[in-house]
Amino acid sequence: MAETEAKPEGFGASHTSFYTSAVAKDSYATLAEILDSKIADEGVRTVVTEMLDAAVKITQALRVNLVTVADAQNSVFGDVQLGVDVIADDLMWDACKASKVVQVGSSEEEPVLVETNKDGRFTVCWDPLDGSSIVDNNWAVGTMIGIWDKTTGMLGATGRDQVSPP
């Protein structure tokens, strides 16, 4: 009879996933506290917070809107746009236009650079709802966001040029 392989401590009952050893706390740091400790630049903290707030609004919109094909198909890439793609994109544009720190925005749904605030500091580009073609199956989707300082901009920039916490 074959000897069973011993699994390292911490593997789950199925032996395919790890269980955490984390212990619940009475309280946790707020997002503002975490960002304050990780990001020294106040402008970067502001734009990150604004984009996270927009992502929350997208999450809320996904919970209450049906997944249907959008009335107008505006994807320059030939993708079928869903109503939730348009809603998510509109929420990201609203966030960028309301921001005092975002100078330029661009979306996968509308891949042109649009000035939102001439006095802003950052270029923000996004895919408002990556994976939307599988959202009606209740699969994971997400909002992908890149943030660059206006000194770099987006055109010709690389991922390493993005502003981000250390």
Side-chain angles (χ1 to χ4, degrees):
M1 185 145 102
E3 194 173 311
T4 59
E5 180 182 337
K7 298 288 183 188
E9 188 177 328
F11 264 97
S14 67
H15 300 292
T16 59
S17 61
F18 280 101
Y19 287 118
T20 181
S21 60
V23 177
K25 300 176 184 178
D26 291 332
S27 66
Y28 294 87
T30 65
L31 176 61
E33 291 168 340
I34 293 169
L35 293 179
D36 285 346
S37 71
K38 301 287 183 186
I39 304 173
D41 186 308
E42 184 178 350
V44 175
R45 281 195 313 268
T46 299
V47 71
V48 167
T49 300
E50 290 172 348
M51 295 305 107
L52 289 172
D53 287 345
V56 168
K57 290 177 183 176
I58 291 169
T59 300
Q60 292 166 339
L62 283 174
R63 291 182 180 149
V64 297
N65 287 282
L66 294 175
V67 178
T68 59
V69 175
D71 293 334
Q73 293 294 307
N74 297 319
S75 173
V76 297
F77 302 110
D79 298 335
V80 174
Q81 272 187 314
L82 302 176
V84 290
D85 286 315
V86 175
I87 291 167
D89 198 45
D90 287 347
L91 289 168
M92 288 298 299
W93 278 115
D94 291 348
C96 288
K97 290 174 182 175
S99 174
K100 291 183 179 358
V101 297
V102 176
Q103 181 185 48
V104 175
S106 183
S107 166
E108 180 197 40
E109 305 300 320
E110 186 181 342
V112 294
L113 295 172
V114 176
E115 186 175 83
T116 58
N117 175 3
K118 66 180 177 66
D119 297 321
R121 178 177 156 199
F122 300 101
T123 297
V124 178
C125 302
W126 63 88
D127 180 345
L129 201 57
D130 188 53
S132 62
S133 64
I134 58 173
V135 71
D136 59 341
N137 294 322
N138 204 25
W139 287 65
V141 295
T143 301
M144 297 171 52
I145 302 169
I147 304 168
W148 290 264
D149 192 278
K150 72 179 180 183
T151 57
T152 305
M154 183 7 214
L155 299 178
T158 69
R160 291 177 193 191
D161 296 322
Q162 293 184 69
V163 298
S164 65

